[in-house]
Amino acid sequence: MHAIVAYAYIEVSACFSIFIFCLCLIYLVYRLGFKNFILPALFFFTVSIIAWQGCFAFEKAEQQSMKLSLENDLEIVGTVISKDVIRSSDYNERDYAKLIIENSSIGGNIMLNLYSEDFNKITAGDFVRCRGRFEIPKTARNPRGFNYKKYLNSKKIIMIGSSKNIKVCDKSKDARFIIYRYTEHIRDNMFSDIESQDNTVIGLIRGIVLGDKTGIDEDVYNRFRMFGTAHILAVSGLHVGVLLTLYRRLYRIIPNQIITVIIFMILIFYGSITRWSPSVFRAVLMSLVYLLAQITSRDADLLTSLGITSIISVCLNPLVVNALGFQMSYLAVLGIGILSPVVSRKLMSIILNKFGDALSHDGIRTIVNGLSIYFAVQIVILPYILQEFNYISPMGFLLNLPVTILAGLIVTFSIASMFFISIGDLIGYLVQNKIFFVLDNYFVSKICFISIQIFREIRQYIDVIVWGLGKMMMDIHSFAAEHLKSSYDFVSPGKAVTYTLIIGILLCFSEAFFIDFKRKKMRRIVGYFVVLFFVFFSVNAGDTTPFDKANIIMVDVGQGDCVHIRSNRGINMMFDGGGSRNKNIGKLVLKPYLLQNRIDTLDLACITHEDVDHSQGIKDLDKIYNIKNLVKGAHVGEFGAPVGELAESNGIKVRVLWPIDDGHGKSGEDNEKSSVFRIDVDGISILVTGDIGVETEKILIDKYKHSNLLNVDVLKVGHHGSKYSTSENFLDAVDPKVALIGVGKNNYGHPSPSVIDKLHKNDIILYRTDVDGAIGLWKEGKKLKICTMLRK
């Protein structure tokens, strides 16, 4: 409940969070009665206060950072928490380091891209000073798009920036940073003995063992993601589970509390090496609760352990509830705790009836336990995956088994490698500093150095085995990609449907519901359905955006144009789709935008001309998404004179006004041959002009001077607001109420100040995607309504 209260504060408002808190108190009274209510309510109130205080402190830190002058270079100081080296690739010309710097003056962390040749000298725990350009992370720029700001905020990152110079002022002697420094040393030295091997495999192994995705090849990662096995590349409960399984096996052989203490320390050490991702933090804490129960000879209930862990997580960082890793990790364990016992009983009876004579009882129980946990997790997680990632991978059910086994082996051998690194470091430190007097002896020192060499050679053999296992895992995915269908795309069902379904599944499989159903306690059963209805309508209200009403949406694709037209009857069209040589806009922007907004098909997609920032996005999208009709370079002569009627149905009418097929060059070959479309949709009209300039505008004015075809409500300004387009005469002829400019960071001076002045002088309201993000327009009666993502 405390996690829901924190989530309500972050996603909606403080008032709504208080409202949810009050509802939770009412539920506690209902379930426990007044006699048993006081202590749990007091505890719940305390945890909620801590969560609210954490959210408020972060908001205050954000406001403080916004007061800084971010337009010029800014000097920052702080202590380095972590460092990742990003190697040169198609997307970056040279190596650089990504640092996370803890800055006490603003009360949060700063993510810094360091483009300096000295980045190899920087280590965790260094107190540094640097000067560079910084900014507040960007929020989602398109409706229901990925919110980079919330993702970074869940890691307590307030600002991001870049710098070419950095100075190490001191090294922190704080115990926390000493641990950071050593764990970073372990991360840097792991698999160093096989660096001459295929870097793709090494990057994959680092992702599996350390959760470090910086070295994973993009094609490899996409292959894992589409087969539903990408969870292996994020350190999770699986990895900690391997350690706990090893402990259980060892404890059966040697039932000694010293073993428990050692595994206790190893868990904390491994959590530090993997930088305490939400899922690792949850798994390690639950394991520690289990170990404490083992030491004190008590039973450790899974759901109780999960509750304790979530309380600690929310108290330490309430913003972590927004992280996908946190949500998926806790959902998975809830599924195991609530669904697994029910599924296990059903499977046990089925398998005993069919294979009871052929298999031993212990063997059947082992199989059933494994299958029940797997199916319980899949049942709970599947709706969440459909909502957040928009795909389902049937082959993932088959691939997950061998991949999980291989990942378990990789993690086991890698932990052994970490052990030998640590032992070697310890012996080297003792000998170098002569901690014990016996180490002054020549022969003892010699034995120590020989031991270090032996440990290094053992580690080399282990690393080769790990590399082979990683190569095997890659080969399995490569074979599957060549011969099997990886996944199927799905539109998001909506958060209201998703959350209601998940809560409904958990309720129906819960012991409380089962008992109430058996005893026919209709009041309580009705109460469960009331809760579901409340969840559905409250989440649905929060998930609705003004863009759901919009008939015209200027999608933010960076430096480029993309206009999405949507009729009230469900027809969807797209005119241009942006594009970049360095980024797949169709895959990374357009497809997620369409699927997240519940659009599974484009009835028509049109490209005005062949410039990359207009055409490439649509071309990339066409390879991975259902486009019924794709039109490139439409012209008037193609569809009939005097105007090309391209489409007319269900509230949308599309007409091509330019170019005219005169036999001199093809349409779309250059800016002046850009197709010009007039689109009318449910009472609102827009002129899409591609990259035409003043010369083409003159021709259009002359050609359509005896009609009102140029006169529209909305003008998509030509050529991103270039000074060579949008003449005074053209604005007079079009007479729009609103002008839209699709633009991002560029070196062309778009949009031109002269064009902006013309629009203002003609009382035309200007919206631009670099300032406003996506822009939505629709009509209510005769009134034109407008919404934007960034400027409210």
Side-chain angles (χ1 to χ4, degrees):
M1 289 190 291
H2 45 276
I4 297 171
V5 168
Y7 187 77
Y9 187 106
I10 297 163
E11 283 291 306
V12 187
S13 67
C15 292
F16 186 69
S17 180
I18 293 169
F19 173 68
I20 295 295
F21 171 79
C22 293
L23 287 179
C24 291
L25 283 181
I26 293 169
Y27 173 77
L28 284 174
V29 173
Y30 174 73
R31 290 297 297 180
L32 302 175
F34 282 104
K35 288 183 179 179
N36 304 318
F37 161 74
I38 302 299
L39 192 59
L42 186 62
F43 185 73
F44 175 51
F45 176 73
T46 304
V47 174
S48 299
I49 289 292
I50 294 171
W52 285 330
Q53 190 275 333
C55 292
F56 179 74
F58 193 84
E59 283 182 351
K60 189 177 178 181
E62 269 194 317
Q63 291 167 4
Q64 187 176 343
S65 64
M66 288 177 183
K67 293 176 183 177
L68 299 173
S69 178
L70 300 178
E71 295 178 0
N72 303 313
D73 283 2
L74 182 70
E75 185 176 80
I76 64 131
V77 294
T79 308
V80 176
I81 297 175
S82 67
K83 180 188 80 173
D84 287 309
V85 177
I86 314 298
R87 299 301 177 187
S88 58
S89 66
D90 295 337
Y91 303 106
N92 48 283
E93 296 178 356
R94 56 176 177 155
D95 296 354
Y96 68 94
K98 190 181 291 292
L99 308 178
I100 305 297
I101 299 174
E102 186 180 87
N103 186 294
S104 57
S105 61
I106 63 170
N109 298 335
I110 297 169
M111 187 169 74
L112 174 72
N113 290 337
L114 179 61
Y115 299 94
S116 169
E117 294 178 358
D118 297 330
F119 66 71
N120 286 320
K121 299 176 183 177
I122 306 295
T123 60
D126 287 351
F127 186 77
V128 296
R129 183 186 302 274
C130 70
R131 178 172 287 275
R133 300 301 297 268
F134 294 88
E135 62 180 357
I136 305 299
K138 297 291 189 298
T139 185
R141 302 188 67 87
N142 289 307
R144 297 188 176 91
F146 175 65
N147 195 322
Y148 188 53
K149 183 175 182 293
K150 285 184 179 178
Y151 166 74
L152 291 180
N153 288 170
S154 69
K155 299 174 179 288
K156 294 187 176 181
I157 295 172
I158 293 178
M159 288 199 304
I160 57 176
S162 61
S163 176
K164 294 182 179 178
N165 299 296
I166 193 166
K167 180 182 178 182
V168 178
C169 303
D170 196 7
K171 288 190 178 291
S172 175
K173 294 179 175 59
D174 187 284
R176 178 166 61 104
F177 289 110
I178 291 172
I179 293 171
Y180 284 159
R181 193 177 299 127
Y182 185 69
T183 54
E184 291 298 308
H185 160 76
I186 296 288
R187 289 174 67 93
D188 291 341
N189 281 277
M190 285 196 69
F191 316 119
S192 58
D193 297 317
I194 52 172
E195 284 184 346
S196 59
Q197 302 289 343
D198 187 352
N199 285 332
T200 308
V201 178
I202 295 172
L204 174 67
I205 293 168
R206 289 185 67 86
I208 294 170
V209 178
L210 304 174
D212 178 11
K213 297 189 182 71
T214 56
I216 300 177
D217 183 80
E218 185 181 358
D219 292 336
V220 171
Y221 181 77
N222 287 333
R223 203 170 288 159
F224 274 72
R225 188 178 67 84
M226 296 314 294
F227 277 109
T229 53
H231 62 90
I232 294 295
L233 306 177
V235 180
S236 62
L238 167 69
H239 302 65
V240 178
V242 169
L243 285 170
L244 207 58
T245 302
L246 289 173
Y247 161 74
R248 284 172 174 170
R249 297 281 172 88
L250 193 59
Y251 194 82
R252 285 175 189 171
I253 301 169
I254 312 171
N256 195 310
Q257 298 297 2
I258 294 174
I259 302 295
T260 305
V261 173
I262 291 171
I263 200 70
F264 196 98
M265 295 169 65
I266 290 174
L267 283 169
I268 294 173
F269 182 64
Y270 187 63
S272 300
I273 285 177
T274 55
R275 297 175 180 170
W276 295 109
S277 68
S279 53
V280 169
F281 188 79
R282 188 269 310 157
V284 169
L285 271 184
M286 289 186 68
S287 299
L288 295 182
V289 170
Y290 170 81
L291 293 174
L292 286 172
Q294 186 87 6
I295 292 170
T296 56
S297 302
R298 293 172 181 264
D299 292 330
D301 176 67
L302 183 69
L303 295 179
T304 303
S305 302
L306 184 69
I308 293 169
T309 303
S310 66
I311 288 169
I312 295 171
S313 297
V314 170
C315 288
L316 291 175
N317 178 19
L319 282 83
V320 77
V321 299
N322 239 346
L324 293 182
F326 177 92
Q327 295 171 9
M328 291 185 69
S329 179
Y330 279 81
L331 267 180
V333 180
L334 277 173
I336 293 170
I338 296 175
L339 273 70
S340 181
V342 179
V343 175
S344 180
R345 286 195 296 269
K346 292 289 182 184
L347 280 176
M348 195 72 180
S349 62
I350 293 170
I351 294 176
L352 279 174
N353 289 334
K354 291 193 174 184
F355 306 103
D357 297 332
L359 297 172
S360 67
H361 198 275
D362 289 340
I364 292 174
R365 185 171 295 280
T366 301
I367 295 169
V368 166
N369 286 341
L371 288 175
S372 63
I373 288 173
Y374 179 71
F375 285 123
V377 171
Q378 295 301 322
I379 290 168
V380 175
I381 289 293
L382 183 59
Y384 188 87
I385 290 175
L386 292 179
Q387 167 60 30
E388 296 297 334
F389 303 108
N390 303 118
Y391 74 88
I392 185 172
S393 176
M395 292 311 303
F397 288 94
L398 296 177
L399 281 183
N400 262 298
L401 182 59
V403 165
T404 301
I405 292 170
L406 286 173
L409 291 172
I410 288 171
V411 171
T412 303
F413 281 111
S414 297
I415 289 169
S417 181
M418 290 180 202
F419 171 77
F420 285 115
I421 292 174
S422 302
I423 292 296
D425 288 343
L426 177 62
I427 294 173
Y429 175 79
L430 294 175
V431 171
Q432 186 176 358
N433 294 277
K434 298 180 180 178
I435 301 298
F436 302 112
F437 71 91
V438 293
L439 296 177
D440 285 333
N441 185 285
Y442 171 79
F443 292 105
V444 174
S445 298
K446 190 70 175 176
I447 291 170
C448 289
F449 282 119
I450 291 171
S451 300
I452 292 171
Q453 188 62 36
I454 292 171
F455 290 151
R456 185 177 291 118
E457 289 182 6
I458 293 172
R459 206 181 84 228
Q460 288 173 356
Y461 285 117
I462 290 173
D463 288 352
V464 169
I465 294 170
V466 169
W467 188 90
L469 293 169
K471 184 71 168 63
M472 193 184 301
M473 189 181 290
M474 279 189 62
D475 289 343
I476 289 172
H477 283 83
S478 298
F479 177 83
E482 288 178 15
H483 298 92
L484 303 170
K485 173 73 174 175
S486 59
S487 62
Y488 297 88
D489 292 331
F490 276 82
V491 297
S492 291
K495 287 185 177 180
V497 172
T498 302
Y499 294 173
T500 305
L501 180 60
I502 290 172
I503 294 171
I505 290 170
L506 293 173
L507 278 176
C508 289
F509 279 85
S510 68
E511 188 178 347
F513 180 83
F514 182 76
I515 292 170
D516 291 339
F517 185 77
K518 276 279 198 182
R519 295 176 180 176
K520 296 181 181 180
K521 293 188 175 181
M522 298 308 298
R523 261 187 172 182
R524 287 194 173 184
I525 293 171
V526 170
Y528 293 134
F529 284 100
V530 169
V531 168
L532 291 178
F533 275 112
F534 173 77
V535 169
F536 179 84
F537 287 110
S538 59
V539 174
N540 189 58
D543 192 38
T544 302
T545 79
F547 283 89
D548 295 335
K549 302 176 184 177
N551 300 117
I552 298 171
I553 301 171
M554 186 84 172
V555 183
D556 186 351
V557 290
Q559 176 62 18
D561 280 355
C562 180
V563 179
H564 173 208
I565 306 295
R566 176 173 57 193
S567 78
N568 295 334
R569 299 179 190 177
I571 301 298
N572 288 277
M573 300 180 180
M574 189 168 281
F575 295 82
D576 285 341
S580 170
R581 289 183 176 87
N582 299 322
K583 184 179 179 181
N584 191 324
I585 298 294
K587 176 183 175 181
L588 299 176
V589 178
L590 299 182
K591 184 181 175 182
Y593 160 75
L594 292 165
L595 293 178
Q596 282 290 321
N597 287 281
R598 301 152 203 170
I599 300 163
D600 60 358
T601 302
L602 281 178
D603 298 280
L604 175 68
C606 296
I607 296 172
T608 60
H609 64 300
E610 288 298 321
D611 278 8
V612 170
D613 59 345
H614 290 255
S615 64
Q616 193 61 47
I618 291 289
K619 291 176 182 177
D620 290 336
L621 181 67
D622 188 40
K623 297 173 186 176
I624 55 175
Y625 184 81
N626 184 24
I627 299 177
K628 288 184 179 178
N629 300 288
L630 177 59
V631 177
K632 303 176 184 178
H635 53 81
V636 173
E638 184 179 1
F639 302 101
V643 176
E645 301 282 353
L646 180 56
E648 183 175 7
S649 69
N650 293 316
I652 299 181
K653 186 173 185 179
V654 181
R655 287 172 277 192
V656 186
L657 306 186
W658 178 262
I660 299 169
D661 187 12
D662 55 6
H664 298 293
K666 294 181 180 178
S667 61
E669 281 189 343
D670 55 42
N671 289 347
E672 298 300 341
K673 289 287 185 178
S674 296
S675 298
V676 176
F677 300 96
R678 176 195 168 111
I679 305 118
D680 294 84
V681 51
D682 291 317
I684 184 172
S685 55
I686 181 173
L687 198 67
V688 177
T689 57
D691 276 352
I692 65 170
V694 173
E695 291 302 316
T696 300
E697 290 175 359
K698 288 178 182 177
I699 298 171
L700 287 169
I701 292 168
D702 184 62
K703 179 174 176 57
Y704 298 107
K705 60 186 177 183
H706 298 302
S707 73
N708 64 350
L709 285 172
L710 291 180
N711 183 234
V712 292
D713 299 307
V714 182
L715 170 66
K716 198 292 298 177
V717 174
H719 205 174
H720 319 289
S722 164
K723 62 183 178 181
Y724 301 111
S725 69
T726 319
S727 63
E728 288 279 4
N729 291 336
F730 190 65
L731 289 177
D732 290 339
V734 177
D735 191 27
K737 298 180 181 67
V738 175
L740 307 178
I741 299 179
V743 66
K745 289 182 179 179
N746 65 88
N747 299 318
Y748 310 110
H750 298 159
S752 169
S754 62
V755 171
I756 295 173
D757 288 340
K758 288 177 196 175
L759 294 170
H760 288 161
K761 286 176 183 176
N762 285 275
D763 294 325
I764 300 168
I765 303 170
L766 171 63
Y767 290 93
R768 39 194 283 193
T769 53
D770 62 334
V771 175
D772 302 295
I775 305 140
L777 305 100
W778 71 99
K779 271 191 173 178
E780 289 184 0
K782 293 185 178 180
K783 191 173 181 181
L784 184 63
K785 294 282 192 175
I786 304 167
C787 64
T788 65
M789 281 299 297
L790 303 183
R791 185 172 61 179
K792 304 301 181 184

